[in-house]
Amino acid sequence: MTQQDAQASEPERGELEESIGREQRSKPWKAYLEAELGFRNHWYPAFFGAELKAGVGDDRQGILAAVRSETICGEQILFRRVGDQVFAIQDRCVHRGVKLSARPECFTAETVTCWLHGFTYDVRTGEVVTILTDPESPLIGKLRARSYPVAERAGIVWVYIGDGDPPPLAWDVQPGLFDDDLAVYPHGFSGVVKSNWRLGVENGWDGTHLYLHRHSKLLATIRRPIPLGEPPSREGFQWQEDAAGPKGIYLARRRGMGRPFWESNIGAVTISAPLKPTDPDTLSAPMIISVWLPAGLKVDPFPTPDIIHFEWYVPIDERSHKYIITWGRRVMDETQRQQFFGEADEIWSDLVPHGFNHDDVFAREAMEPFYAGDGWQKEHLMGADIMLTQWRKLATRHHRGIQRRGLV
Ligand code: FES
Ligand SMILES: [Fe+2]
C-alpha cells in the first residue's frame, strides 16, 4: 500500500481545487474516458448462483430457467448449469446469429440447441456437437461458439470478459468477500440502471453524494448517522496496488476527521439532516469505504456495525449497467449463518435497495444525459471530488484493457 496525495488540511484547500482543475485539463485518466463499455480482461459478477437452476426442456415446457442470458460489456452470454458447475458460451448462434436464449431448447443436460435450425452446442466447450436439420454436415465438430471462463464463489457466478488465460478471480474482487468466515447473502439485489457503468462507480464512491441520502428511510430505521456529505479532503487515501492482488483505494472515515455536513446555510436559511449524532460515540466506529477494479465497492461496515456491504456496477452496454448488491457478516457456525440470511431476507433485501439505493439509481440516471454527451469534458469538479479523480487515476493505471465493440 502506498499513501497518496490527499492529505490536504484546510489552508491547502485552495491548492487542492487548483490541482484538480489542472488535472481536469490534462486528463490523466484518458483510458478511463475511453472505457465506455468497461475494461477488458477482467472478471465480472454476472448474477447470483441461486438464479440459475440445472434443467432439461424447452420454452414450451416452461423451463426457461435452464439457461440465463446476460449482456456484459456488450457481449451477449448464455449461462447453463451442468451438474454442480456453471458454463457460459456466447449467446449468438454461429449459423445465422440469433440469440439462443430467445427460445432456449435444452434437450440434454449439457447442451443448448438453437431454436431456428437446430445447431446444438455443448455448453462446456462451445462445440457444435450436432445440427438437428443436417446431421451429416461436415461443420459438426468443427464450428464452435466462443466459451467463457466461469467461476462460482460466495453465491455469485463470475465470468471473465477477455482474452487468453484469466488472472486469479480474487484479483478482481473486493478483499474479504471470499473469507471462509464471511457469510455472503445469496439472494442480494440486482437491477438494470440506465446509466453508463462509470456513473455507477463514481456515485457509490463519491463522498459528498451522501447529501442525497439525508432523508433516507434506512438511516431513520437504523438510527445511525453517517457523515452526510463529508468532504474527504483531509484524509489519506490508501491505494492497494500489489501486483498479485486486487487493485483499489481505501478511504476511512473516522470521528473528528473531515466535517460532517449535518447542517449548512444559505444566507439565513439553515438546511440540516434529520438525523444528527447526539452521542459522539455514534461516529467513533470507522466506516471504511473502498473502490475496486473492475467495478466494485465495499463499505465496511454498512448498514449496521456488523455487516459489510458489497456492490457492483457491471457494464451492460454504453448506456446501462447492472447494479448488484449483497451483504456479508462474519459468523462462527451454520446457525449464525442462517440467522443472518433470515435477517437479510426480512430487512436488508428490501430496505437497502429501496430505502436507500433507489436515490443512487435516480442520481445516476439523471446524470446520464449529460455524460452521454460531452459531460466528461464539461464537468466542473470541486476539491472534494478528489475521490473521483483518485479512482479515475487508479483505473487508468491498473486496468488490463479497454473493451470495444466488435472484438467478438
Ligand atoms: S440461426 Fe441458429 S441454427 Fe440457424
Ligand atoms: Fe449512495
Side-chain angles (χ1 to χ4, degrees), residues 203 209-210 213 356-357 360:
N203 165 254
H209 95 283
L210 291 172
H213 292 301
F356 191 81
N357 295 82
D360 295 309

Side-chain angles (χ1 to χ4, degrees), residues 62 181 200 202 319 334 352 390:
D181 66 340
E202 294 193 357
R319 301 281 168 266
E334 190 54 28
V352 174
Q390 288 268 312

Side-chain angles (χ1 to χ4, degrees), residues 11 26 30 37 42-44 50 107 126 131 172 175 189-190 192 200 214 233 252 266 361 363:
S26 64
K30 187 166 168 289
L37 262 182
H42 285 274
W43 289 93
Y44 289 89
F107 297 116
I131 299 173
D172 283 340
F189 167 85
S190 66
V192 174
R214 69 194 181 282
S233 57
I266 305 172
V361 170

Side-chain angles (χ1 to χ4, degrees), residues 5-61:
D5 54 335
Q7 297 284 359
S9 59
E10 208 61 58
E12 291 168 335
R13 285 298 303 277
E15 279 171 40
L16 181 62
E17 309 261 342
E18 262 176 46
S19 77
I20 288 207
R22 270 197 307 276
E23 276 190 348
Q24 263 197 292
R25 289 187 291 278
S26 64
K27 295 275 188 302
W29 44 81
K30 187 166 168 289
Y32 180 73
L33 296 185
E34 290 172 10
E36 203 178 12
L37 262 182
F39 290 122
R40 190 165 178 77
N41 304 321
H42 285 274
W43 289 93
Y44 289 89
F47 53 89
F48 291 100
E51 296 174 303
L52 177 64
K53 304 275 180 251
V56 174
D58 62 36
D59 66 326
R60 275 155 291 253
Q61 295 169 281

Side-chain angles (χ1 to χ4, degrees), residues 93 95-98 114 116-119:
C93 184
H95 180 217
R96 307 287 304 275
V98 298
C114 181
L116 191 47
H117 313 96
F119 274 49

